[in-house]
Amino acid sequence: MIYIVGLGAGDESQLTLGVVAKLKSGLPLFLRTAEHPMINFLEKNEIEYRAFDDVYMKHETFEAVYEEIIETIKEEAKKGDLIYATPGHPCVAEYAVKRLVAETEAVIIGGQSFLDPMFAALAIDPIEGLQVMDALDFDYEAIAPKQHLIVPQVFDQLTASNLKLDLMEVYDDEYEVCIVKAAGSNIAELKWVKLYELDHNFKLDNLTTIYVPPMK
Ligand SMILES: C[S@@+](CC[C@H](N)C(=O)[O-])C[C@H]1O[C@@H](n2cnc3c(N)ncnc32)[C@H](O)[C@@H]1O
């Protein structure tokens, strides 16, 4: 059996009891990435793991990376039960999980997505209407401007630049958007900027998400 667990978005206080029990079960543990604040919990509890960060370095495209992760997990699962852990919740923006669920007998065991601390940090309620659209697969024609818009995967200046141009098709250049970094952790940061400034040399990383408030 492949147990797919989510490690939450911030520190270990976000781990669910079910996830902690699985992590401490002694089953082989595979991490999509070790670049995650929860790594301290694993080190502290002497839980061994194999992370796939080296696979990201090996390939030019995300598709190739995910293919290798999926194939490795499937091969390892032939030897016995194992755990595949992702940041946040496994069902939010985790391509390899979608494939593993479709192609194997995988079981999902919770985790808090980055969306939860985003709601808290921005004081927004998704019931008012929320869109989440990947920066790497963005379609401005699909924007519903009266809804909250959350755009993950803004890793670098080029992605921010492309996103800015797309957003300018719908919003005014001076529209205020928020750069949210590491929500839910002790290094969380919110920076409100005008849309035209979005690619103006802010440090962006793999914990950066853009928030666009609803148009009045
Ligand atoms: C591939 S998605 C994985 C999301 C993860 N499965 C989850 O549920 O949190 C990674 C993207 O989520 C966003 N993200 C993850 N953690 C974050 C955090 N603490 N604060 C803001 N954005 C975050 C970033 O945009 C990042 O590029």
Side-chain angles (χ1 to χ4, degrees), residues 9 32 87-89 92-94 113-114 118 152-153 155 180-183 206-209:
R32 176 167 67 73
H89 191 285
V92 178
E94 297 289 341
S113 169
F114 78 96
M118 288 276 297
Q153 310 227 78
F155 305 111
V180 183
K181 292 176 74 171
N206 61 357
L207 293 180
T208 305
T209 296

mmCIF file of all heavy atoms in Angstrom, residues 9 32 87-89 92-94 113-114 118 152-153 155 180-183 206-209, ligand 1:
data_model
loop_
_atom_site.group_PDB
_atom_site.id
_atom_site.type_symbol
_atom_site.label_atom_id
_atom_site.label_comp_id
_atom_site.label_asym_id
_atom_site.label_seq_id
_atom_site.Cartn_x
_atom_site.Cartn_y
_atom_site.Cartn_z
ATOM 1 N N ALA A 9 1.945 23.210 5.866
ATOM 2 C CA ALA A 9 2.627 24.295 5.151
ATOM 3 C C ALA A 9 3.691 24.983 5.999
ATOM 4 O O ALA A 9 4.539 25.707 5.484
ATOM 5 C CB ALA A 9 1.599 25.322 4.689
ATOM 6 N N ARG A 32 8.682 14.319 -1.564
ATOM 7 C CA ARG A 32 8.841 15.011 -2.862
ATOM 8 C C ARG A 32 10.002 15.991 -2.762
ATOM 9 O O ARG A 32 10.811 16.109 -3.660
ATOM 10 C CB ARG A 32 7.555 15.746 -3.272
ATOM 11 C CG ARG A 32 7.771 16.541 -4.554
ATOM 12 C CD ARG A 32 6.514 17.043 -5.192
ATOM 13 N NE ARG A 32 5.783 18.048 -4.474
ATOM 14 C CZ ARG A 32 6.168 19.323 -4.349
ATOM 15 N NH1 ARG A 32 7.294 19.743 -4.865
ATOM 16 N NH2 ARG A 32 5.417 20.185 -3.685
ATOM 17 N N PRO A 87 4.614 18.403 0.600
ATOM 18 C CA PRO A 87 4.294 19.589 1.395
ATOM 19 C C PRO A 87 2.771 19.794 1.409
ATOM 20 O O PRO A 87 2.074 19.343 0.487
ATOM 21 C CB PRO A 87 4.967 20.723 0.632
ATOM 22 C CG PRO A 87 5.991 20.076 -0.243
ATOM 23 C CD PRO A 87 5.435 18.723 -0.584
ATOM 24 N N GLY A 88 2.280 20.478 2.418
ATOM 25 C CA GLY A 88 0.867 20.868 2.459
ATOM 26 C C GLY A 88 -0.073 19.681 2.485
ATOM 27 O O GLY A 88 0.136 18.697 3.189
ATOM 28 N N HIS A 89 -1.132 19.769 1.675
ATOM 29 C CA HIS A 89 -2.075 18.658 1.502
ATOM 30 C C HIS A 89 -1.737 17.949 0.193
ATOM 31 O O HIS A 89 -1.516 18.608 -0.829
ATOM 32 C CB HIS A 89 -3.524 19.183 1.468
ATOM 33 C CG HIS A 89 -4.530 18.072 1.554
ATOM 34 N ND1 HIS A 89 -4.793 17.236 0.486
ATOM 35 C CD2 HIS A 89 -5.303 17.638 2.564
ATOM 36 C CE1 HIS A 89 -5.698 16.334 0.847
ATOM 37 N NE2 HIS A 89 -6.020 16.563 2.109
ATOM 38 N N VAL A 92 -3.510 19.029 -3.163
ATOM 39 C CA VAL A 92 -3.462 20.404 -3.675
ATOM 40 C C VAL A 92 -2.174 20.604 -4.478
ATOM 41 O O VAL A 92 -1.066 20.593 -3.916
ATOM 42 C CB VAL A 92 -3.544 21.438 -2.514
ATOM 43 C CG1 VAL A 92 -3.441 22.863 -3.062
ATOM 44 C CG2 VAL A 92 -4.832 21.255 -1.734
ATOM 45 N N ALA A 93 -2.346 20.751 -5.791
ATOM 46 C CA ALA A 93 -1.229 21.058 -6.699
ATOM 47 C C ALA A 93 -0.085 20.054 -6.606
ATOM 48 O O ALA A 93 1.089 20.435 -6.577
ATOM 49 C CB ALA A 93 -0.724 22.487 -6.443
ATOM 50 N N GLU A 94 -0.421 18.775 -6.542
ATOM 51 C CA GLU A 94 0.605 17.723 -6.496
ATOM 52 C C GLU A 94 0.327 16.744 -7.640
ATOM 53 O O GLU A 94 -0.431 15.795 -7.507
ATOM 54 C CB GLU A 94 0.578 16.990 -5.138
ATOM 55 C CG GLU A 94 0.896 17.866 -3.938
ATOM 56 C CD GLU A 94 2.365 18.284 -3.877
ATOM 57 O OE1 GLU A 94 3.206 17.641 -4.530
ATOM 58 O OE2 GLU A 94 2.659 19.259 -3.173
ATOM 59 N N SER A 113 -3.106 22.272 3.855
ATOM 60 C CA SER A 113 -2.580 22.929 2.659
ATOM 61 C C SER A 113 -2.096 24.342 2.974
ATOM 62 O O SER A 113 -2.531 24.952 3.960
ATOM 63 C CB SER A 113 -3.691 22.999 1.617
ATOM 64 O OG SER A 113 -3.290 23.835 0.569
ATOM 65 N N PHE A 114 -1.270 24.900 2.080
ATOM 66 C CA PHE A 114 -0.849 26.305 2.238
ATOM 67 C C PHE A 114 -2.044 27.243 2.152
ATOM 68 O O PHE A 114 -1.987 28.379 2.610
ATOM 69 C CB PHE A 114 0.196 26.679 1.171
ATOM 70 C CG PHE A 114 -0.373 26.943 -0.193
ATOM 71 C CD1 PHE A 114 -0.658 28.239 -0.604
ATOM 72 C CD2 PHE A 114 -0.658 25.906 -1.069
ATOM 73 C CE1 PHE A 114 -1.196 28.500 -1.856
ATOM 74 C CE2 PHE A 114 -1.198 26.147 -2.323
ATOM 75 C CZ PHE A 114 -1.468 27.441 -2.721
ATOM 76 N N MET A 118 -3.007 30.788 4.270
ATOM 77 C CA MET A 118 -3.236 31.957 3.399
ATOM 78 C C MET A 118 -4.527 32.660 3.814
ATOM 79 O O MET A 118 -4.595 33.887 3.899
ATOM 80 C CB MET A 118 -3.384 31.515 1.940
ATOM 81 C CG MET A 118 -2.137 31.048 1.259
ATOM 82 S SD MET A 118 -1.115 32.358 0.576
ATOM 83 C CE MET A 118 -2.169 33.095 -0.648
ATOM 84 N N PRO A 152 -0.537 30.169 -7.027
ATOM 85 C CA PRO A 152 0.702 29.551 -6.541
ATOM 86 C C PRO A 152 1.729 29.332 -7.652
ATOM 87 O O PRO A 152 1.429 29.578 -8.825
ATOM 88 C CB PRO A 152 0.219 28.205 -5.962
ATOM 89 C CG PRO A 152 -1.061 27.914 -6.636
ATOM 90 C CD PRO A 152 -1.622 29.203 -7.186
ATOM 91 N N GLN A 153 2.910 28.885 -7.256
ATOM 92 C CA GLN A 153 4.018 28.535 -8.140
ATOM 93 C C GLN A 153 4.615 29.750 -8.862
ATOM 94 O O GLN A 153 4.976 29.657 -10.030
ATOM 95 C CB GLN A 153 3.605 27.458 -9.152
ATOM 96 C CG GLN A 153 2.923 26.259 -8.491
ATOM 97 C CD GLN A 153 3.466 24.930 -8.968
ATOM 98 O OE1 GLN A 153 4.522 24.519 -8.543
ATOM 99 N NE2 GLN A 153 2.742 24.268 -9.816
ATOM 100 N N PHE A 155 7.703 31.183 -8.774
ATOM 101 C CA PHE A 155 9.039 30.901 -8.234
ATOM 102 C C PHE A 155 10.059 31.989 -8.534
ATOM 103 O O PHE A 155 11.023 32.155 -7.812
ATOM 104 C CB PHE A 155 9.617 29.628 -8.886
ATOM 105 C CG PHE A 155 8.749 28.427 -8.780
ATOM 106 C CD1 PHE A 155 8.126 27.883 -9.893
ATOM 107 C CD2 PHE A 155 8.567 27.811 -7.566
ATOM 108 C CE1 PHE A 155 7.345 26.745 -9.796
ATOM 109 C CE2 PHE A 155 7.786 26.671 -7.461
ATOM 110 C CZ PHE A 155 7.177 26.151 -8.573
ATOM 111 N N VAL A 180 2.575 36.818 -0.998
ATOM 112 C CA VAL A 180 2.525 36.112 0.292
ATOM 113 C C VAL A 180 3.647 35.086 0.318
ATOM 114 O O VAL A 180 3.734 34.234 -0.563
ATOM 115 C CB VAL A 180 1.170 35.409 0.488
ATOM 116 C CG1 VAL A 180 1.111 34.758 1.863
ATOM 117 C CG2 VAL A 180 0.018 36.391 0.306
ATOM 118 N N LYS A 181 4.498 35.190 1.334
ATOM 119 C CA LYS A 181 5.610 34.234 1.430
ATOM 120 C C LYS A 181 5.520 33.442 2.721
ATOM 121 O O LYS A 181 5.281 33.995 3.794
ATOM 122 C CB LYS A 181 6.938 34.986 1.371
ATOM 123 C CG LYS A 181 7.170 35.597 -0.008
ATOM 124 C CD LYS A 181 8.415 36.411 -0.079
ATOM 125 C CE LYS A 181 9.622 35.509 -0.095
ATOM 126 N NZ LYS A 181 10.855 36.258 -0.371
ATOM 127 N N ALA A 182 5.712 32.134 2.608
ATOM 128 C CA ALA A 182 5.825 31.230 3.759
ATOM 129 C C ALA A 182 4.682 31.398 4.761
ATOM 130 O O ALA A 182 4.918 31.389 5.981
ATOM 131 C CB ALA A 182 7.171 31.414 4.445
ATOM 132 N N ALA A 183 3.452 31.543 4.258
ATOM 133 C CA ALA A 183 2.289 31.708 5.150
ATOM 134 C C ALA A 183 2.249 30.557 6.157
ATOM 135 O O ALA A 183 2.518 29.411 5.804
ATOM 136 C CB ALA A 183 1.010 31.722 4.319
ATOM 137 N N ASN A 206 10.035 29.058 -3.612
ATOM 138 C CA ASN A 206 9.033 27.990 -3.720
ATOM 139 C C ASN A 206 7.985 28.041 -2.608
ATOM 140 O O ASN A 206 7.194 27.121 -2.460
ATOM 141 C CB ASN A 206 9.703 26.608 -3.813
ATOM 142 C CG ASN A 206 10.532 26.303 -2.591
ATOM 143 O OD1 ASN A 206 10.653 27.146 -1.694
ATOM 144 N ND2 ASN A 206 11.101 25.121 -2.526
ATOM 145 N N LEU A 207 7.999 29.117 -1.806
ATOM 146 C CA LEU A 207 6.919 29.333 -0.833
ATOM 147 C C LEU A 207 6.227 30.667 -1.120
ATOM 148 O O LEU A 207 5.690 31.308 -0.222
ATOM 149 C CB LEU A 207 7.464 29.322 0.602
ATOM 150 C CG LEU A 207 8.014 27.986 1.132
ATOM 151 C CD1 LEU A 207 8.509 28.145 2.562
ATOM 152 C CD2 LEU A 207 6.958 26.879 1.071
ATOM 153 N N THR A 208 6.270 31.100 -2.380
ATOM 154 C CA THR A 208 5.653 32.393 -2.732
ATOM 155 C C THR A 208 4.365 32.181 -3.529
ATOM 156 O O THR A 208 4.344 31.417 -4.502
ATOM 157 C CB THR A 208 6.618 33.252 -3.581
ATOM 158 O OG1 THR A 208 7.845 33.403 -2.885
ATOM 159 C CG2 THR A 208 6.018 34.622 -3.856
ATOM 160 N N THR A 209 3.311 32.876 -3.100
ATOM 161 C CA THR A 209 2.014 32.829 -3.778
ATOM 162 C C THR A 209 1.513 34.259 -3.949
ATOM 163 O O THR A 209 1.742 35.106 -3.079
ATOM 164 C CB THR A 209 1.004 32.028 -2.931
ATOM 165 O OG1 THR A 209 1.466 30.683 -2.836
ATOM 166 C CG2 THR A 209 -0.380 32.009 -3.545
HETATM 167 C C1 LIG B 1 3.362 22.479 -5.967
HETATM 168 S S1 LIG B 1 2.419 23.500 -4.862
HETATM 169 C C2 LIG B 1 2.184 22.384 -3.534
HETATM 170 C C3 LIG B 1 1.144 22.804 -2.555
HETATM 171 C C4 LIG B 1 1.009 21.862 -1.382
HETATM 172 N N1 LIG B 1 0.565 20.537 -1.779
HETATM 173 C C5 LIG B 1 0.021 22.401 -0.341
HETATM 174 O O1 LIG B 1 -1.087 21.861 -0.202
HETATM 175 O O2 LIG B 1 0.392 23.370 0.345
HETATM 176 C C6 LIG B 1 3.649 24.569 -4.247
HETATM 177 C C7 LIG B 1 3.196 26.010 -4.235
HETATM 178 O O3 LIG B 1 2.351 26.255 -3.117
HETATM 179 C C8 LIG B 1 2.584 27.555 -2.612
HETATM 180 N N2 LIG B 1 2.971 27.473 -1.198
HETATM 181 C C9 LIG B 1 3.378 26.373 -0.523
HETATM 182 N N3 LIG B 1 3.592 26.669 0.775
HETATM 183 C C10 LIG B 1 3.319 27.999 0.913
HETATM 184 C C11 LIG B 1 3.333 28.896 2.008
HETATM 185 N N4 LIG B 1 3.657 28.487 3.231
HETATM 186 N N5 LIG B 1 2.982 30.194 1.797
HETATM 187 C C12 LIG B 1 2.625 30.620 0.562
HETATM 188 N N6 LIG B 1 2.582 29.805 -0.500
HETATM 189 C C13 LIG B 1 2.922 28.520 -0.342
HETATM 190 C C14 LIG B 1 3.699 28.185 -3.446
HETATM 191 O O4 LIG B 1 3.091 28.980 -4.436
HETATM 192 C C15 LIG B 1 4.358 26.978 -4.060
HETATM 193 O O5 LIG B 1 4.946 27.291 -5.306
#
